[in-house]
Short mmCIF file of all heavy atoms in Angstrom, two decimals:
data_model
loop_
_atom_site.label_atom_id
_atom_site.label_comp_id
_atom_site.label_asym_id
_atom_site.label_seq_id
_atom_site.Cartn_x
_atom_site.Cartn_y
_atom_site.Cartn_z
N GLY X 235 -21.44 5.12 14.23
CA GLY X 235 -20.51 4.49 15.21
C GLY X 235 -19.67 3.44 14.51
O GLY X 235 -18.48 3.38 14.67
N VAL X 236 -20.30 2.55 13.61
CA VAL X 236 -19.53 1.46 13.14
C VAL X 236 -18.59 2.02 12.01
O VAL X 236 -17.39 1.51 11.95
CB VAL X 236 -20.54 0.44 12.41
CG1 VAL X 236 -20.95 0.82 11.02
CG2 VAL X 236 -19.90 -0.98 12.41
N LEU X 237 -18.93 3.03 11.24
CA LEU X 237 -17.96 3.55 10.34
C LEU X 237 -16.78 4.30 11.07
O LEU X 237 -15.69 4.20 10.62
CB LEU X 237 -18.67 4.51 9.35
CG LEU X 237 -19.60 3.79 8.35
CD1 LEU X 237 -20.27 4.77 7.43
CD2 LEU X 237 -18.81 2.79 7.49
N HIS X 238 -17.13 5.04 12.10
CA HIS X 238 -16.02 5.76 12.77
C HIS X 238 -15.06 4.76 13.50
O HIS X 238 -13.90 4.77 13.33
CB HIS X 238 -16.62 6.76 13.86
CG HIS X 238 -15.69 7.68 14.33
ND1 HIS X 238 -15.91 8.62 15.30
CD2 HIS X 238 -14.36 7.83 14.12
CE1 HIS X 238 -14.92 9.33 15.60
NE2 HIS X 238 -13.86 8.91 14.84
N SER X 239 -15.68 3.66 14.12
CA SER X 239 -14.81 2.73 14.71
C SER X 239 -13.92 2.00 13.75
O SER X 239 -12.76 1.75 13.95
CB SER X 239 -15.68 1.65 15.38
OG SER X 239 -15.01 0.56 15.81
N SER X 240 -14.53 1.63 12.44
CA SER X 240 -13.65 0.91 11.35
C SER X 240 -12.58 1.89 10.97
O SER X 240 -11.37 1.49 10.71
CB SER X 240 -14.45 0.36 10.34
OG SER X 240 -15.23 1.54 9.63
N ALA X 241 -12.93 3.20 10.84
CA ALA X 241 -11.98 4.16 10.35
C ALA X 241 -10.68 4.28 11.35
O ALA X 241 -9.62 4.24 10.94
CB ALA X 241 -12.57 5.52 10.15
N ARG X 242 -11.09 4.21 12.62
CA ARG X 242 -9.96 4.30 13.58
C ARG X 242 -9.16 3.07 13.60
O ARG X 242 -7.87 3.19 13.73
CB ARG X 242 -10.59 4.45 15.07
CG ARG X 242 -11.04 5.95 15.33
CD ARG X 242 -11.30 6.01 16.85
NE ARG X 242 -12.27 5.13 17.33
CZ ARG X 242 -13.58 5.37 17.71
NH1 ARG X 242 -13.94 6.57 17.52
NH2 ARG X 242 -14.37 4.48 18.04
N GLN X 243 -9.73 1.84 13.27
CA GLN X 243 -8.93 0.59 13.40
C GLN X 243 -8.12 0.62 12.14
O GLN X 243 -7.03 0.02 12.14
CB GLN X 243 -9.94 -0.57 13.39
CG GLN X 243 -10.58 -0.60 14.80
CD GLN X 243 -11.58 -1.88 14.80
OE1 GLN X 243 -11.07 -2.96 14.82
NE2 GLN X 243 -12.80 -1.67 15.01
N ILE X 244 -8.60 1.14 11.00
CA ILE X 244 -7.86 1.04 9.75
C ILE X 244 -6.67 2.15 9.61
O ILE X 244 -5.65 1.76 9.23
CB ILE X 244 -8.75 1.11 8.61
CG1 ILE X 244 -9.80 0.02 8.58
CG2 ILE X 244 -7.99 1.21 7.22
CD1 ILE X 244 -10.96 0.31 7.65
N LEU X 245 -7.08 3.37 10.08
CA LEU X 245 -6.11 4.54 9.86
C LEU X 245 -5.54 5.11 11.08
O LEU X 245 -4.71 6.08 10.97
CB LEU X 245 -6.82 5.44 8.90
CG LEU X 245 -7.06 5.03 7.47
CD1 LEU X 245 -7.87 6.08 6.80
CD2 LEU X 245 -5.71 4.85 6.65
N GLY X 246 -6.00 4.72 12.28
CA GLY X 246 -5.39 5.20 13.42
C GLY X 246 -6.49 5.95 14.32
O GLY X 246 -7.57 6.42 13.82
N ASN X 247 -6.27 6.02 15.51
CA ASN X 247 -7.24 6.48 16.60
C ASN X 247 -7.58 8.03 16.45
O ASN X 247 -8.68 8.43 16.90
CB ASN X 247 -6.72 6.34 17.98
CG ASN X 247 -7.30 5.07 18.62
OD1 ASN X 247 -8.38 4.69 18.11
ND2 ASN X 247 -6.60 4.48 19.53
N ASP X 248 -6.78 8.87 15.80
CA ASP X 248 -7.24 10.24 15.71
C ASP X 248 -8.00 10.50 14.54
O ASP X 248 -8.31 11.74 14.17
CB ASP X 248 -5.91 11.19 15.80
CG ASP X 248 -4.86 10.53 14.67
OD1 ASP X 248 -5.10 9.59 14.05
OD2 ASP X 248 -3.90 11.35 14.43
N ILE X 249 -8.44 9.50 13.79
CA ILE X 249 -9.31 9.81 12.46
C ILE X 249 -10.78 10.26 12.96
O ILE X 249 -11.33 9.72 13.85
CB ILE X 249 -9.44 8.56 11.74
CG1 ILE X 249 -8.08 8.19 11.05
CG2 ILE X 249 -10.49 8.66 10.61
CD1 ILE X 249 -7.62 9.11 9.93
N LYS X 250 -11.18 11.39 12.40
CA LYS X 250 -12.57 11.81 12.54
C LYS X 250 -13.35 11.42 11.33
O LYS X 250 -12.78 11.18 10.24
CB LYS X 250 -12.56 13.24 12.88
CG LYS X 250 -12.00 13.67 14.08
CD LYS X 250 -12.29 15.19 14.39
CE LYS X 250 -11.19 16.05 14.95
NZ LYS X 250 -9.83 15.70 14.83
#
Side-chain angles (χ1 to χ4, degrees):
Chain X
V236 83
L237 287 178
H238 195 179
S239 170
S240 64
R242 281 193 307 253
Q243 292 182 62
I244 297 160
L245 292 169
N247 259 335
D248 50 353
I249 292 291
K250 290 192 221 19

